[in-house]
């Protein structure tokens, strides 16, 4: 009986040893993962002086997700750390997600939760930096430390697109004298989106060129005329108060920002008060004539505004605009040139309104 018990114990030891040998090394080893982050070249080819902190990175949160989507590890890097070596990373495959200039996401426990978390246009700060997001191209496999470290390069890019006023030319009849640019703003910007772009952006800002919640009003008192009237004014409104002499052109560098707006010209409700889909527009409010008696809006449509692209707009004003910021200017009174730069190559298109 005693011999049988000894034999059984020996058998158990043998079984345990065999099980240990059969366990894959990749499941129990640890390795080194080197994370490198790039902003993909944020300044446009036309930017001799980028606007504000267009390309600044204050900090980065890196998330390592397991194949089942659960969070394995979260790392935080300062803006000066665009590369970080992570030691003792459990061998295996990971999807890596990076967030730059974002609030701390310490409660995130899985990838879907992070992707579906919502952020707003107001979360972007031109004086500090813009929200950016990037993922690894496929899974990154970390092997045991007996192998060389694995490097993952993550390119982060902004959620917003930029629309910038670059110049205004006064081509009005000389009798009207100087053209005064009172203010400039974006209307029909979009203000809410998910980090993972799991749905379309939503929630119009400066909808139809009106104060919040007044997009269906035809009352002129509801039209945007000041920063107090605008939503996310730091990103969508600029009080200019600058004159352009007759037959002269003035240069500007006034940036405005919106989350992507996929509305095309064919689906655009460009008809004043509306509750329908509307393209983002850059609007100049200007006045001329004796004591600025002639006051007009000059809206220019940016169809299908995309994230991480820059739209530089030049105005040539030749006649009256419109009294409603969400209506078309009569043909021949406004010419524009819009330069679109996707931070790789650019092209131009012209419009006559």
């Amino acid at each position: 009986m005693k011999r049988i018990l000894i034999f059984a114990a020996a058998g158990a030891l043998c079984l345990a040893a065999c099980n240990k040998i059969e366990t894959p090394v990749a499941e129990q080893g640890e390795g080194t993962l080197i994370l490198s982050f790039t902003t993909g070249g944020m300044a446009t080819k036309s930017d001799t002086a980028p606007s504000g902190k267009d390309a600044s990175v204050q900090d980065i949160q890196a998330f390592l997700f397991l194949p089942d989507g659960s969070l394995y590890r979260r790392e935080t890097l300062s803006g000066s750390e665009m590369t970080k070596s992570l030691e003792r990373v459990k061998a295996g495959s990971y999807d890596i997600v990076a967030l730059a200039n974002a609030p701390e996401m310490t409660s995130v426990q899985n990838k879907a939760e992070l992707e579906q978390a919502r952020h707003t246009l107001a979360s972007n700060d031109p004086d500090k930096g813009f929200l950016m997001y990037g993922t690894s191209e496929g899974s990154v496999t970390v092997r045991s430390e007996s192998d060389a470290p694995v490097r993952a390069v993550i390119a982060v890019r902004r959620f917003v697109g930029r629309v910038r006023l670059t110049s205004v030319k006064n081509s009005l009849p000389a009798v009207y004298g100087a053209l005064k640019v009172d203010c400039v703003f974006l209307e029909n910007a979009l203000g809410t989106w998910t980090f993972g772009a799991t749905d379309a952006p939503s929630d119009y800002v400066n909808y139809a060129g009106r104060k919040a919640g007044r997009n269906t009003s035809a009352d002129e008192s509801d039209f945007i005329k000041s920063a107090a009237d605008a939503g996310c004014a730091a990103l969508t409104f600029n009080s200019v108060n600058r004159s352009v002499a007759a037959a002269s052109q003035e240069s500007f560098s006034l940036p405005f920002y919106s989350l992507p707006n996929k509305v095309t010209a064919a689906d655009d409700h460009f008809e004043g008060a509306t509750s329908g889909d509307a393209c983002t527009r850059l609007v100049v409010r200007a006045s001329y004539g004796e004591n600025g008696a002639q006051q007009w809006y000059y809206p220019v449509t940016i169809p299908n505004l995309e994230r991480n692209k820059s739209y530089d707009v030049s105005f040539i004003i030749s006649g009256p605009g419109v009294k409603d910021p969400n209506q078309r200017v009569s043909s021949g009174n406004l010419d524009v040139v819009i330069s679109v730069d996707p931070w790789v190559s650019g092209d131009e298109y012209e419009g006559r309104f």
Side-chain angles (χ1 to χ4, degrees):
M1 184 69 176
K2 187 175 182 179
R3 182 176 298 172
I4 293 173
L5 289 173
I6 292 172
F7 178 79
L13 290 172
C14 179
L15 180 61
C18 291
N19 283 341
K20 186 174 182 181
I21 292 172
E22 292 174 355
T23 301
V25 174
E27 292 184 6
Q28 64 180 22
E30 294 177 336
T32 299
L33 174 62
I34 300 174
L35 298 178
S36 294
F37 302 94
T38 72
T39 56
M42 287 296 176
T44 75
K45 65 181 183 180
S46 59
D47 273 351
T48 54
S51 305
K53 301 291 185 179
D54 276 6
S56 295
V57 174
Q58 302 297 319
D59 56 72
I60 295 175
Q61 296 173 74
F63 301 82
L64 276 63
F65 293 106
L66 296 167
D68 66 359
S70 62
L71 178 65
Y72 165 69
R73 190 163 168 177
R74 172 182 171 271
E75 295 285 338
T76 301
L77 295 76
S78 69
S80 60
E81 289 183 285
M82 296 303 282
T83 297
K84 186 170 185 177
S85 180
L86 307 184
E87 309 295 334
R88 302 198 64 180
V89 177
K90 183 179 178 181
S93 295
Y94 301 94
D95 290 332
I96 304 172
V97 178
L99 277 176
N101 303 329
E104 286 193 352
M105 306 292 286
T106 54
S107 64
V108 168
Q109 295 300 313
N110 59 71
K111 186 179 179 182
E113 185 180 349
L114 177 60
E115 290 178 333
Q116 293 167 15
R118 303 190 76 78
H119 60 93
T120 66
L121 179 61
S123 301
N124 296 276
D125 189 339
D127 294 325
K128 294 181 180 179
F130 290 80
L131 290 180
M132 303 180 198
Y133 180 94
T135 63
S136 56
E137 295 184 5
S139 296
V140 175
T141 301
V142 177
R143 297 177 176 83
S144 64
E145 60 182 309
S146 60
D147 296 315
V150 175
R151 180 182 293 273
V153 179
I154 312 296
V156 294
R157 60 190 187 120
R158 289 171 294 189
F159 290 99
V160 299
R162 183 180 72 182
V163 182
R164 186 168 59 172
L165 174 65
T166 56
S167 67
V168 175
K169 183 175 181 180
N170 180 358
S171 291
L172 293 163
V175 67
Y176 290 117
L179 171 74
K180 182 185 175 186
V181 179
D182 300 319
C183 63
V184 184
F185 61 92
L186 272 192
E187 68 178 24
N188 307 325
L190 283 171
T192 306
W193 205 12
T194 54
F195 281 112
T198 55
D199 60 3
S202 60
D203 300 331
Y204 281 113
V205 177
N206 303 337
Y207 196 3
R210 279 124 165 108
K211 300 173 186 177
R214 306 302 295 168
N215 52 289
T216 59
S217 171
D219 190 333
E220 185 179 349
S221 66
D222 290 322
F223 298 168
I224 292 174
K225 301 182 180 70
S226 68
D229 299 331
C232 298
L235 296 161
T236 67
F237 187 92
N238 193 294
S239 182
V240 181
N241 295 320
R242 184 171 161 188
S243 292
V244 182
S248 297
Q249 177 172 301
E250 292 289 330
S251 295
F252 295 82
S253 182
L254 303 179
F256 307 89
Y257 303 93
S258 172
L259 293 171
N261 186 344
K262 295 299 183 182
V263 178
T264 64
D267 298 319
D268 188 18
H269 287 80
F270 198 2
E271 54 210 17
T274 184
S275 58
D277 294 336
C279 294
T280 299
R281 292 184 242 287
L282 181 64
V283 183
V284 167
R285 186 171 185 266
S287 55
Y288 58 84
E290 187 175 355
N291 298 319
Q294 301 282 347
Q295 295 182 329
W296 306 98
Y297 291 98
Y298 295 89
V300 170
T301 296
I302 312 292
N304 190 26
L305 185 146
E306 298 183 56
R307 70 182 291 184
N308 215 41
K309 285 191 177 183
S310 181
Y311 301 79
D312 285 0
V313 187
S314 297
F315 282 69
I316 303 172
I317 294 175
S318 306
V322 287
K323 293 299 184 180
D324 187 311
N326 196 48
Q327 287 183 341
R328 292 177 176 83
V329 178
S330 296
S331 178
N333 290 348
L334 174 64
D335 293 301
V336 297
V337 176
I338 304 175
S339 300
V340 186
D341 195 325
W343 288 285
V344 177
S345 60
D347 40 52
E348 294 185 353
Y349 58 93
E350 295 187 5
R352 187 177 181 87
F353 299 86

